[in-house]
Amino acid sequence: MKQLSKILVANRGEIACRVMRTARAMGLRTVAVYSDADRDALHVKTADEAVHIGPAPSSASYLVVEALIAAARRVGADAIHPGYGFLSERAELAEACTAAGIVFIGPPATAIRAMGSKQRAKQIARAAGVPVVPGYDGQDQSDATLIAEAQKIGFPVLIKASAGGGGKGMKIAHAAGELGGLLASARREALGAFGDATLLLERYIAEPRHVEIQILGDQSGHVVHLFERECSIQRRHQKIIEETPSPALDAKTRSAMGEAAVRVAAGIGYYNAGTVEFITAPDGSFYFLEVNTRLQVEHPVTECVTGLDLVREQIRVARGEALGYRQEELVQRGAAIECRLYAEDPRSGFLPSTGTLERFAVPTLPGLRVDAGVERGSEVSIHYDPLLAKVITEAPTRAEAIDRMIYALESLEVAGVRTNRAFLIRVLAAEAFRAGRTHTHFIEEHFGDRLEMPPTAEESAEAACFAVVHTALAEAAERTRLTSLVPGFRNNRLADPSLRAAVGGGEPLEVHYRFVSADRLVLTLAGKARSVWIARAESDRLTLEIDGHRHSRAVIRRGDQAYVSGPRGQMHEVLILPRFPEREAAHQPGALVAPMPGKIVLVSAQPGDRVKRGDPLVVLEAMKMEHAARAPEDGVVEEILVRVGQQVEAEAILAIVKPD
Ligand code: ADP
């Protein structure tokens, strides 16, 4: 057995913090690495020591094998944990570790290499007698062959990047006519994200569930499975809610899938933690998808029901220890759910949202675990994955785990960036989810385009009240600091003071207020007077009794912008407008603007081209995903203001279309 004393975590965000937590609990010293953008990041503060490895782009920092090995050498780390993402599934890191005499906390490089290609992985699974999705995983990558194979498979066909992960490069073709364009786009995404344009085709299974099996093996060849996780709730093929047990598996299918997973792992000499992914069809049949040769984002739910700490098991295996338990000794107890809290803007189709986290407060509740990579004051930049935290609940039953999750998400306070939190709550509360009727198109089926949850009129009014009271108190405090006037005193006795507040980008509401005493006021909003008692006022939280109903809300002010928490897990953004309206900023008609900062990867129109509303003109890549900027109207392209390779800011004008 190898003795380890210091572990370098070659990652960032929540997973780096999570790995360090266990390492420290095992008495190991921890080392963080960081880019220019992460000098103040939580994972750096969490570590015992930290090494700067390069500039912000991950290609120049977190993805540079030599920089990580050099960092480990410099501080005398004897092991590297890769986390997930970044280099975790790159055999080169595992090999470089071995060459440098550093222990790689993960599977052998040979297994990573075998499973890094979906092509080879499918061949291995087939050889192990495990069912795979029918499709094409051959070497010939010409359009002609791929199109002919797609026709053989039958539409719809799923195009996947062989080296892919995280749903990137994955496209559905519904008809032969679409294939040419989709293959080109999939290749471009695959090459950009993984440096390998190889594609494979699969029959598209209608309404499947995503069910995966956690495996764990030691270096003597003993492999067990730790049951399943269901990860069917996905948006754009990205998991957002994961749980165990799956509401869809009976004991027989569970053990059949578990055994299949162990067979695949044993067949490639796998050790350490890994995940064998399957999809299950509505008729109960299951098909192998791929093996993820690393710790998964959603590993905590497995920890909840098995009582094992997977990072501890990974470290033990890397030291050469035997697992020390047999399959029969493992049990699944209770139920656990994980929700991924992303910095995403529900108002713009869930594009990543960047900014400073003005607030991030996690409640303390029984059965709740929050694995966060951020804290109050953290910068959420464009450079990395927008995952802020994972919220995990466990309970004796699935129904109770869901209730706990909703309560936890509603109580969490996050402001400064927009998040998918309110949307997560809506999914959890949906009747079909509670009934366990989940599949990978659940969100499209139940929510369609209605992903946004605009506040009701009453919620807007309430948020405006809290923001206005907070502002009025701040102004009063400022005045009393300057003079000894009573709060709300105005020289102009003719009219009550008023403020205009726009909630969630909506129409501004005019709110008049009058202090009756230091802690009582009358607010008039939309012609309705409300009697308000300030039960408690702190700088970032107000408890108000409004017409006899008392509630407490987080209220955070940054300049004209206030954030007010809502009753359904929202964080309303309330803009306090100047008392007199200013002229609206001039709006350029027909302008296409960048929805977020990114890099231009394709310009598909030229000045003079006739375009139809909705035609993609410029493709922007941000956070490794492509976003098409589309013609806002039918018309003629007047100007293209960007070129391929150019980096643009949010709101930058990309092109101008002269409407007909
Ligand atoms: P990635 O490695 O990019 O995550 P996967 O192969 O694991 O790609 O697939 C991701 C998700 O895409 C699955 O969870 C499932 O929802 C969907 N998917 C994959 N293959 C198929 C298929 N053949 N038919 C239908 N859905 C699929």
Side-chain angles (χ1 to χ4, degrees):
M1 197 183 106
K2 283 200 187 77
Q3 193 70 35
L4 299 181
S5 60
K6 199 188 255 193
I7 292 185
L8 180 141
V9 185
N11 216 299
R12 65 179 303 286
E14 69 85 16
I15 194 60
C17 300
R18 189 262 166 273
V19 169
M20 290 176 202
R21 197 173 64 227
T22 291
R24 177 160 315 117
M26 294 173 78
L28 302 166
R29 295 189 70 76
T30 56
V31 184
V33 290
Y34 61 95
S35 71
D36 287 348
D38 276 340
R39 277 180 206 281
D40 290 322
L42 184 60
H43 76 281
V44 176
K45 296 181 196 163
T46 305
D48 293 311
E49 55 191 309
V51 184
H52 175 247
I53 50 164
S58 40
S59 57
S61 49
Y62 296 103
L63 289 173
V64 182
V65 173
E66 305 77 54
L68 294 161
I69 300 288
R73 283 215 161 110
R74 180 164 164 195
V75 297
D78 39 26
I80 292 185
H81 192 297
Y84 54 71
F86 292 130
L87 293 171
S88 62
E89 294 187 280
R90 293 261 280 274
E92 295 84 348
L93 178 64
E95 285 161 351
C97 282
T98 311
I102 295 166
V103 172
F104 177 72
I105 304 176
T110 46
I112 302 179
R113 231 180 256 294
M115 291 299 153
S117 137
K118 289 189 203 288
Q119 251 181 9
R120 273 189 65 200
K122 283 184 82 167
Q123 290 153 7
I124 289 166
R126 225 184 266 126
V130 174
V132 301
V133 190
Y136 174 73
D137 44 53
Q139 296 302 330
D140 183 351
Q141 292 284 311
S142 68
D143 268 19
T145 302
L146 291 173
I147 292 170
E149 289 291 339
Q151 253 144 355
K152 265 194 247 163
I153 296 165
F155 291 93
V157 161
L158 193 62
I159 306 169
K160 287 187 184 179
S162 181
K168 281 164 203 153
M170 206 146 83
K171 316 268 169 195
I172 304 168
H174 293 278
E178 294 175 8
L179 270 172
L182 290 174
L183 289 172
S185 160
R187 280 197 188 102
R188 207 164 45 232
E189 269 188 43
L191 198 63
F194 314 110
D196 177 355
T198 311
L199 302 179
L200 52 92
L201 304 175
E202 274 178 8
R203 180 194 299 156
Y204 189 70
I205 311 279
E207 304 210 336
R209 290 176 186 252
H210 174 114
V211 180
E212 59 187 30
I213 303 286
Q214 174 71 51
I215 50 167
L216 201 54
D218 64 26
Q219 297 196 33
S220 65
H222 174 47
V223 184
V224 296
H225 71 83
L226 302 182
F227 313 101
E228 81 282 13
R229 290 183 288 260
E230 176 163 342
C231 317
S232 299
I233 305 297
Q234 308 179 347
R235 216 176 45 71
R236 287 202 219 115
H237 304 298
Q238 278 272 27
K239 301 162 185 170
I240 58 169
I241 300 178
E242 301 104 335
E243 60 177 309
T244 187
S246 160
L249 293 198
D250 54 25
K252 202 167 134 243
T253 317
R254 174 171 297 119
S255 61
M257 291 179 79
E259 281 159 25
V262 169
R263 267 206 313 280
V264 172
I268 52 167
Y270 201 91
Y271 57 77
N272 216 289
T275 295
V276 184
E277 295 192 330
F278 296 92
I279 47 178
T280 64
D283 67 3
S285 52
F286 60 86
Y287 303 96
F288 169 88
L289 273 187
E290 62 169 344
V291 178
N292 290 326
T293 52
R294 54 166 160 85
L295 193 65
Q296 295 274 90
V297 178
E298 58 273 22
H299 75 276
V301 293
T302 299
E303 298 184 321
C304 291
V305 300
T306 60
L308 287 170
D309 176 330
L310 285 176
V311 173
R312 175 168 178 265
E313 297 308 299
Q314 286 192 292
I315 294 173
R316 288 182 52 233
V317 168
R319 285 198 296 221
E321 287 175 52
L323 288 183
Y325 38 79
R326 284 170 295 124
Q327 186 67 53
E328 309 78 75
E329 294 173 73
L330 296 165
V331 282
Q332 226 175 354
R333 220 182 48 238
I337 302 187
E338 172 182 285
C339 284
R340 299 191 190 185
L341 183 70
Y342 281 110
E344 290 177 335
D345 186 356
R347 282 191 233 159
S348 64
F350 288 93
L351 290 180
S353 170
T354 55
T356 306
L357 267 183
E358 301 293 356
R359 183 150 180 101
F360 187 74
V362 174
T364 311
L365 296 168
L368 170 67
R369 161 175 168 184
V370 177
D371 284 12
V374 292
E375 60 183 347
R376 179 185 198 148
S378 290
E379 279 299 321
V380 180
S381 75
I382 57 158
H383 299 292
Y384 313 110
D385 188 86
L387 179 68
L388 295 175
K390 305 183 307 203
V391 182
I392 304 123
T393 57
E394 61 173 302
T397 65
R398 180 175 188 266
E400 284 173 55
I402 296 173
D403 289 341
R404 273 194 175 154
M405 179 61 81
I406 294 175
Y407 189 89
L409 288 172
E410 284 177 353
S411 322
L412 196 124
E413 288 172 9
V414 48
V417 295
R418 297 186 180 137
T419 74
N420 64 337
R421 182 240 313 248
F423 181 65
L424 290 168
I425 295 173
R426 286 171 72 204
V427 174
L428 294 162
E431 200 210 321
F433 180 82
R434 295 197 80 102
R437 290 197 304 275
T438 54
H439 56 82
T440 60
H441 309 298
F442 185 92
I443 290 176
E444 288 139 60
E445 182 191 324
H446 294 278
F447 298 95
D449 296 332
R450 295 166 293 110
L451 296 177
E452 203 194 333
M453 186 177 59
T456 63
E458 189 46 41
E459 284 169 351
S460 292
E462 187 204 277
C465 287
F466 273 85
V468 165
V469 170
H470 193 270
T471 307
L473 282 175
E475 287 182 355
E478 183 64 14
R479 257 194 310 276
T480 36
R481 205 170 57 77
L482 296 174
T483 69
S484 56
L485 296 174
V486 294
F489 174 86
R490 306 268 297 180
N491 282 329
N492 174 2
R493 301 198 57 90
L494 294 176
D496 288 340
S498 74
L499 282 169
R500 291 186 316 132
V503 182
E507 283 296 305
L509 302 163
E510 183 97 25
V511 187
H512 294 268
Y513 62 94
R514 175 162 35 92
F515 276 91
V516 184
S517 66
D519 61 357
R520 279 181 193 279
L521 66 166
V522 176
L523 282 182
T524 312
L525 189 159
K528 189 176 158 209
R530 296 163 196 247
S531 154
V532 177
W533 171 50
I534 304 167
R536 197 176 159 83
E538 293 153 87
S539 64
D540 56 2
R541 176 165 284 283
L542 279 180
T543 305
L544 300 183
E545 184 195 279
I546 304 176
D547 288 338
H549 185 184
R550 176 173 167 150
H551 24 218
S552 174
R553 299 276 180 255
V555 186
I556 299 129
R557 272 295 297 275
R558 289 290 173 271
D560 296 339
Q561 178 81 55
Y563 301 96
V564 181
S565 61
R568 293 183 292 154
Q570 308 104 312
M571 187 58 86
H572 299 295
E573 290 176 21
V574 187
L575 194 63
I576 302 289
L577 296 156
R579 289 192 161 85
F580 301 102
E582 278 174 356
R583 264 177 59 86
E584 289 287 313
H587 170 71
Q588 177 132 20
L592 271 77
V593 291
M596 56 181 307
K599 192 170 120 189
I600 306 298
V601 292
L602 181 72
V603 175
S604 52
Q606 293 180 12
D609 285 358
R610 278 216 65 78
V611 290
K612 290 214 136 349
R613 177 162 175 226
D615 281 353
L617 304 187
V618 175
V619 179
L620 180 88
E621 190 199 79
M623 302 217 177
K624 300 266 190 300
M625 298 286 284
E626 291 193 351
H627 307 283
R630 296 171 187 281
E633 332 255 351
D634 291 357
V636 175
V637 176
E638 198 169 73
E639 219 180 327
I640 299 278
L641 294 129
V642 289
R643 59 194 149 63
V644 170
Q646 188 178 339
Q647 196 72 38
V648 295
E649 293 299 317
E651 316 269 299
I653 299 177
L654 306 172
I656 296 170
V657 175
K658 191 158 171 253
D660 288 338

